[in-house]
Amino acid sequence: MLYEIADLKDVLNGSDWSITARVLNKSDVLPYKKGYGKSFTTLLFDQTSKIQAVAFGGNVDRYFSQLQENNVYNIKN
């Protein structure tokens, strides 16, 4: 089901959801402070609100090059 970012707080864990949002910015890929791994963050927004998303491990390799600032994406859980 498609939600606006402001309404995500009302979605129960485990429910199917999707948002359509623009990438406002994204961080560089950062190594974990302890141990093996990496992460990056991105700030997403729509007409209702903003939300920060974090990708870890293999999702960094999968999504970092795909998500480009100022582009709009449909993101699903």
Side-chain angles (χ1 to χ4, degrees):
M1 177 172 235
L2 183 62
Y3 290 89
E4 293 179 326
I5 291 174
D7 296 330
L8 283 178
K9 65 184 178 299
D10 299 326
V11 179
L12 298 174
N13 287 337
S15 298
D16 289 334
W17 58 264
S18 67
I19 59 171
T20 299
R22 183 176 302 274
V23 175
L24 185 59
N25 62 42
K26 69 178 183 179
S27 71
D28 293 330
V29 174
L30 303 170
Y32 291 159
K33 291 183 180 180
K34 294 183 179 181
Y36 175 77
K38 55 190 169 184
S39 67
F40 80 93
T41 61
T42 184
L43 186 60
L44 306 169
F45 74 100
D46 65 11
Q47 66 274 12
T48 66
S49 193
K50 298 176 188 175
I51 192 169
Q52 181 174 309
V54 182
F56 299 98
N59 285 326
V60 172
D61 298 329
R62 182 173 178 191
Y63 295 114
F64 186 79
S65 63
Q66 290 182 19
L67 293 176
Q68 300 298 315
E69 291 181 1
N70 296 315
N71 287 356
V72 176
Y73 300 91
N74 185 275
I75 300 168
K76 301 176 183 182
N77 70 335

